[in-house]
Amino acid sequence: MWAWLGRLMRRERRPKTGLPDALWQQTLDACPFLGALPASDLARLRELSTFFLEDKEFHGAQGLLITDAMALTIAAQACLPVLHFGPGDQPLRWYDDFVGIVLHPDEVVAQREVVDEHGVVHHYEETLAGEAMHEGPVMLSWHDVTAASSETGYNVVIHEFVHKLDLRDGMPDGCPPLTKGFMGQPSARAARSHWLATLQTAYEAFREAVIKAERFGGAPPWLDPYGAEAIDEFFAVSSEAYFVNRARFGREFDSLLPLFDAYYQARR
């Protein structure tokens, strides 16, 4: 009896329904950077996207009607960072802290409140193309989803779902949970130290380039200057570029390429 139960529990989950070929091709056309993936990765991405659509709920805001094509376009890009995180639907466990994805037609103006070191409360507005909350839903602007570009390294879907990976331990610090043995490190703590030291160096160089461009008319950096706001934003912004234009990312951030290859388990 127990052997039978064990086999049942280990049985791989299968998609309840398949994706129509025409719909999948429409997604590939909408995300041309996916065409650089090997055929085996594309097949795996298609399967994982199907699981994603079965598990998540899409909600259109401000009267936005979400089509199957829109949902799949988001699902495929959301699954890309975790594509090699295990067989079957195991990679989606990294996203199991939420169900809802809220899609707005355009950017959203959010009301913010911060308390400074003197206890004074400051209110301000922030324009958002997307937002990922710890143990909460993911918000996206459809306009920005369609603005993804390999040329500029911009991809808001990947950006927000990388934030979800970063937030798995509850800390938005630019370092996702790592295990012993990552890049040969003897412990999880050593892996984290190695990650943060490598990322911090690249972040500081990027931040300096952004400052020179904005204040002194220097050459603008390739990536979105928003990555200079904080190291967790730099992790998300640089991950966007890694997935949509790995070749240029490797030239611009040669120190980060081995780090991201090791984490995302790139197969090239």
Side-chain angles (χ1 to χ4, degrees), residues 20 28 41 60 70 79 97 123 140 170 174 181 189 199 204 210 215 220 226:
L28 299 183
D41 280 1
M70 293 165 68
C79 290
D97 67 317
H123 298 273
L140 297 166
R189 177 175 292 183
L199 194 71
E204 289 175 358
V210 170
R215 298 182 183 177
Y226 187 64

Side-chain angles (χ1 to χ4, degrees), residues 204-214 218-221:
E204 289 175 358
F206 178 74
R207 189 169 181 271
E208 182 177 354
V210 170
I211 291 173
K212 287 181 178 179
E214 293 181 345

